Amino acid sequence: MPNDSPVPPSAPRPAPRWRRLLLWALAGLLALLLLLGVAAAFIYPSLPSLDKLTDYQPKQPLRIYTSDGVLIGEFGAERRTYLPLKDIPKRMQDALLAVEDSAFYEHGGISYTGIVRAVASNAVSSRKQGASTITQQLARDLYLTKRQLYSRKFIEMLLALKIESQLTKEKILEVYMNQIYLGQKAYGFEAAAQTYFGKSLKDLDVAETAMLAGLPQNPAYANPVANFQRAKRRQLLVLERLKDTGVITPEECDRARDEKLHIRSSQDERLHGEYVAELVRQQLFAQYGEDAYTLGLKVYTTLVADQQQAAYRGLRKTLLEYERRRPWRGPEGFVELPDDAAEEDAAIAQALAEHPDNDELRAAVVTKVAGGKLVAALQSGDEVVISGDGLRALGNALSDKARHELQVRRGSILRVLRGAPTKEAPQGAWAVTQSPEAEGALVAVAPDSGEVRALVGGFDFNRNKFNHATQAFRQPGSSFKPLVYSAALELGMTPNTLINDAPLVYDHWEPHNYDGSYDGPMPMRTALAKSKNMVTIRLLEQVSPARARQWAGRFGLDVERQPDNLTLALGSGAVTPMQMAGAYSVFANGGQLRKPVIVQRVLDAKGQVLFQAATVEDGEPAISARNAFVVSSLLQEVTTRGTAARAAAQLRRTDLYGKTGTTNDSVDAWFAGFHPKVAAVVWIGYDNPRSLGDRESGGGLALPAWISFMEVALRGVPPSDLQPPSEGLVREGSEWVFEEFAGPAGIQQVGLSAEALASAASAPASAPASSPP
């Protein structure tokens, strides 16, 4: 019997597993996108304002320059020099984009392909790969922390979209290239170029540009100072990208890859103006407070770069040469050196890190002493061999019989100095020396304006920040004598006036001449050229200490610091080198006292002038033009035939004027002098006053530094002897004298008996002495 019952339909087959997973994934993605959209809708309105970007005001340090634009000081937590995008070389922009964000001009702030690529890479690798665009990096740098949080990443992306909606691509790139940190306190690519290469961005070649472009990824630990090899690997990656994108040719890539880069170091020649920079910093801080270090102020001083460098080098050379004449004080330190070569290198590196180089004065660790030679390692890793005259400073310190604290042996830490090139040593032979204990100062000013052209306040600013040029009040010794002579002229003395150079004895004081000899009656001109103490004391008796003190005040010296007794004649008061430079400028400029000027102008970050030094105008003269001229003529005798005759001989010019100065027991050594275009003063001494040595003097110590400076300051300057003023002087024989004191009206002699006058009349004229006072 047929079965008429209906056939039940078959049960539906379940969907494949992969389809279900895909549906779940799509649903999850849609839910995530919905969630992100909702989150974005809530978060976006609360994102920070972009005022920081639209009105970008980066922190820029206080920078201090010479008058000719050479940087001498930078103060602030961040080094940054803002450059508009148009001033950033196209090659630098291309190099950065090639390695950091090649699609920068195509995306809208977020690189979705980059995100997919980073997710895929991070899924299969333990090394995390980022996908941040330049816009995202800028958002993070300005507004967010660098902690790796998904919430932060999401806000970063929203900020990037907001930035792209309100700023042009060019503005975003400009801010980024000025804002990004690039290691070694450098923010922005211009500051990095200066920090690592000592150049502006526009002057970098392909290899240097690629090195900078590789820094943003890891600026703290992969910069060429912290880790050159890491920085080099990044540079090679940038070069490959530039080649692949056609920005550089394969040949340029190969040359750049092989180029040996010079990374700026402490051994690079740079202009030293630290004492002036600190003076200016204090002045700006007093006016602007902490803002002085962030506003991007630019201060142009009155310094002239080559004169400042000449002053720095001349003073240091003088102090180092003086130090080589002093007894050996022993090694600077000692380090135990292991026998293993690698361990020895590590020990040397650590020891020298604690004894850094001081410009040309290098620190070295002795590794071997044998056969009258010394082998030492430098901080650079170089090895130097010193023998012969290079060991002269050590005395017998290489001997086993030397006192232990003086002995030089393996592990001793010394200071070494490379000498000038010779035929035997074309690179210059090395010599052992020691850091100077004595200090010094050199200051030079333009007499007509008072503008400071050079100022060095000590041997090394990092060692001793006390500014000896402006803060050290020391006895000027014989360099004070011209002020006494100037006062004496007003009383009727003339260069022809005869003054007795004979012993003087007072109740509690028995002064003497420097050399212990007495030459009897001599004209005032000869007396100053020979720096005769007895003559100056007799002149001061005529002037009176009280009147001389007031007269010194006309030259800018502190009256209260000058003694009210006859020792004033020998410079027993207290002055600073800066004051003495101003005082001698009075003679140089025809009698005008000028206030020293250091700051020429101050600019804000946009180049607007905030301060401009006033133009110098003639005021009340400190002394008459005729007085200044006559004293100058006496000072010219000093530099041509007197105690500073080597000045004219070495500089091969006679338009030089000045006076040596050495105090009792050679505690202070001076030379103060001028040319009509520049007045300069050098002082040498110890911070805790003590003798520089029985044979040391202003002519032997201070004068060489002055000559060294003047060689540069007067380079190309034609001869220009001072000319007498048109009124107030008449000729009397070979001398100029005040017209009212011509003939019998002037004082003819001081301190002379009839017998002494008769003797002076019959004696031949004595030649000025060349020995230093």
Side-chain angles (χ1 to χ4, degrees), residues 8-12:
S10 59

Side-chain angles (χ1 to χ4, degrees), residues 499-506 511-513 516-522 532-538 541 750-753 756:
I499 307 112
N500 197 11
D501 177 35
L504 286 165
V505 178
Y506 300 93
H512 56 81
N513 285 329
S517 65
Y518 304 92
D519 295 337
M522 63 179 61
K532 289 294 188 175
N533 290 344
M534 300 304 103
V535 170
T536 312
I537 294 171
R538 284 189 163 92
E541 285 181 318
V750 174
L752 294 177
S753 63

Side-chain angles (χ1 to χ4, degrees), residues 81 83 87 89 189-195 197-205 208-209 212:
T81 301
L83 283 185
D87 295 333
F189 284 89
E190 175 65 15
Q194 295 288 351
T195 297
F197 301 113
K199 305 177 184 178
S200 181
L201 268 182
K202 62 183 175 56
D203 299 321
L204 300 187
D205 61 21
E208 294 163 336
T209 299
L212 292 191

Side-chain angles (χ1 to χ4, degrees), residues 65-87:
Y65 300 87
T66 63
S67 61
D68 40 354
V70 180
L71 183 68
I72 59 170
E74 189 173 43
F75 300 94
E78 301 177 4
R79 294 174 179 163
R80 182 186 280 109
T81 301
Y82 189 88
L83 283 185
L85 191 65
K86 64 181 178 61
D87 295 333

